[in-house]
Amino acid sequence: MEPFSEVIYDAATQTAVIGAGLIWDDVYAALAPHGVNVVGGRVTGVGVAGFTLGGGYSWLTNQYGLTIDNVVAFELVKPTGDIVNVTESSDPDLFFGLKVNSLFNDLILGFLPSLIKGGINNFGIVTRFTLKTFPQGQVWAGSITYTFDRIPSVTAEVAKFSSTVTDPKAAIIATYNFLLGQPGIVLLVFYDDPVPPAGIFDGFLAIPHLTNDVSTRDFASFVSGSLSNATSGERAIFHSVSVTQYTPTLLDAIYNETVFWGSRLSLLSGTFISYDVEPFLSTIFSHGSQSAYPPSRNQSLSPFNIYFAWTASLSDDEFHDAVRQSAAQIKAVAITEGQDVSNVAIYPNYAIFDTSLEDLYGSNVPRLKALKMSVDPTNVMGLAGGFKL
């Protein structure tokens, strides 16, 4: 995919053409001299193609929506070999269908070529994206690590942030991790200005911590410093639950799952057990138009990611079963609390490999299948992997 590694900024249209062979670090570095940015990945090493085609939750999502909401054109090699530029006006059905998924985790190191491991390879190969750009200055951001004895205090602040912070420039990811025999939290904080207003992050900063590298910095340096490859080369599985809010009860359940599965799976060669809490504003789906994901924009959802890593191939089934059980438990707690998430879509980039199409795209599945028959009647793209229509 090296030929598809360009970033071309057009100041007149305020868009950027981005090659599918890039990672977001490259994109941010190329756009920084122009003082602009795009809605893209949150940690280092994430591939443009898989992230975008799966939806794409970003540090800028509260302000501008999902990454897929900011695509204005796809360059697509169709199963026939024809190369087309697909826009909402040129081919609205195909434009809708390309906003599908890839089996790829936003938070994990990885590069996927544009022969995406997901729904997009039902329709062809995307080689370039044209994305909207937005002004970008310095940000206030970084990571804070907390030891297990500080987890109750951090959990209370995460719940407070989820329920009270409405500033679209503010965002966090709180990862509950089980590592080296005990739980802890790594908190990523972000504010899209050099200095945040008082009150948003003060509670987090007041809690005694192990490390803290939060500072005013360039956006690109923050992302490149958010390491995501600690388990590179190991076996791994992701799964997800969609929630409407991270309440104290739900966060306590997430902590309990961290300890429960961390202590057990460590005995089966587990090296990293992580539960990633990602609160977003209730307005995020209002920034985009109809797309395969999310199948409904009437209800806003925050993704919740479970990530297990291990080394022994003989333990694969145990880890796959564990991540399913853990996701089911978290969902059950959310439903018991009154969250209306029984039949909501799972974020495709976090979904386990055997997730049903209906759980990803809901009522959009019949439309996607009809589009598949129209674009690829001989099923050329059936030779590729991923979720198949």
Side-chain angles (χ1 to χ4, degrees), residues 11-140:
T13 61
Q14 297 182 45
T15 61
V17 175
I18 298 170
L22 293 168
I23 60 173
W24 288 109
D25 307 59
D26 302 323
V27 177
Y28 300 146
L31 292 175
H34 303 285
V36 299
N37 204 357
V38 290
V39 179
R42 289 175 286 179
V43 296
T44 189
V46 174
V48 165
F51 179 90
T52 302
L53 295 163
Y57 285 85
S58 168
W59 292 118
L60 303 179
T61 286
N62 282 333
Q63 297 180 73
Y64 308 119
L66 303 178
T67 301
I68 203 68
D69 294 333
N70 291 279
V71 177
V72 297
F74 301 89
E75 183 182 82
L76 177 71
V77 181
K78 299 177 77 173
T80 59
D82 295 331
I83 301 175
V84 294
N85 196 50
V86 182
T87 68
E88 193 163 22
S89 59
S90 70
D91 193 332
D93 282 340
L94 189 52
F95 188 76
F96 163 86
L98 289 172
K99 296 181 176 184
V100 186
N101 75 285
S102 69
L103 185 59
F104 181 67
N105 190 307
D106 291 359
L107 299 177
I108 304 303
L109 175 69
F111 165 74
L112 292 179
S114 60
L115 186 61
I116 303 303
K117 295 168 66 179
I120 182 55
N121 59 12
N122 288 284
F123 308 121
I125 303 171
V126 175
T127 52
R128 292 180 178 86
F129 303 87
T130 303
L131 289 174
K132 298 175 186 176
T133 63
F134 305 94
Q136 183 67 67
Q138 287 197 309
V139 302
W140 182 89

Side-chain angles (χ1 to χ4, degrees), residues 330-354:
I330 296 301
K331 184 174 182 178
V333 171
I335 292 171
T336 299
E337 274 204 300
Q339 296 193 34
D340 184 16
V341 295
S342 297
N343 298 302
V344 298
I346 298 172
Y347 177 39
N349 280 352
Y350 291 170
I352 195 170
F353 56 84
D354 59 356

Side-chain angles (χ1 to χ4, degrees), residues 1-19:
M1 295 305 298
E2 189 171 341
F4 305 106
S5 58
E6 77 277 49
V7 178
I8 303 172
Y9 172 58
D10 186 334
T13 61
Q14 297 182 45
T15 61
V17 175
I18 298 170

Side-chain angles (χ1 to χ4, degrees), residues 208-229:
H209 52 266
L210 182 64
T211 66
N212 180 345
D213 71 355
V214 179
S215 65
T216 299
R217 64 217 307 190
D218 295 336
F219 185 95
S221 72
F222 166 53
V223 171
S224 65
S226 301
L227 297 180
S228 58
N229 61 348

